[in-house]
Amino acid sequence: MTKPEEPAPQVVPPRPGLGHLIDATGYSLSGMGRLWRETAARQELILGAVALGLLALFGASAAHFLGFGVLFALLLAVEALNTAIEVLTDRISPEWSRAAKDAKDLGSLAVGLMVLCNVGFVAAVGLGLV
């Protein structure tokens, strides 16, 4: 006996005005929950906390903390985009392919460059260069 097929999920058009903002906030929170399942993102959050401690130890100014906050938010944004690339690549190309490898490697490079920017900024503050 076969099971009746479940209906395919329907795309719901976006709501206008405040409803759209509320929906978008929910999507963003859902995305953060998905990002939290990534080991790399959890490690970056831990290193971000360590960096904040170092900035405090260095006597960083409010502007330094703000600058780091922006860089760290960009790191998490790039990590989220990298995760999205990986998820889509695995869906589109579950078998090994050069294109899939290149897409994942480029996403990883983007994250790595943002990590270097964050580390470089904290080091520059610690050395009194900024």
Side-chain angles (χ1 to χ4, degrees):
M1 177 177 216
T2 62
K3 291 183 183 179
E5 289 188 35
E6 292 183 27
Q10 298 297 312
V11 175
V12 178
R15 295 189 301 172
L18 185 59
H20 178 75
L21 180 62
I22 292 168
D23 293 345
T25 300
Y27 302 146
S28 295
L29 292 172
S30 179
M32 190 63 197
R34 173 59 182 87
L35 188 61
W36 180 251
R37 295 196 313 261
E38 291 294 312
T39 301
R42 291 192 307 272
Q43 291 170 342
E44 289 156 3
L45 287 166
I46 291 167
L47 291 175
V50 169
L52 286 173
L54 287 172
L55 289 173
L57 185 68
F58 298 152
S61 69
H64 290 133
F65 280 100
L66 179 62
F68 177 73
V70 169
L71 276 175
F72 191 72
L74 288 171
L75 170 60
L76 290 180
V78 171
E79 183 65 56
L81 291 172
N82 180 48
T83 299
I85 289 168
E86 290 178 353
V87 168
L88 288 173
T89 300
D90 289 344
R91 171 79 174 160
I92 294 167
S93 181
E95 70 288 340
W96 188 93
S97 72
R98 169 58 59 189
K101 181 183 183 325
D102 288 347
K104 289 182 174 191
D105 288 351
L106 289 166
S108 181
L109 171 64
V111 171
L113 291 173
M114 283 306 306
V115 168
L116 286 176
C117 289
N118 278 261
V119 169
F121 181 80
V122 172
V125 171
L127 295 171
L129 301 176
V130 294

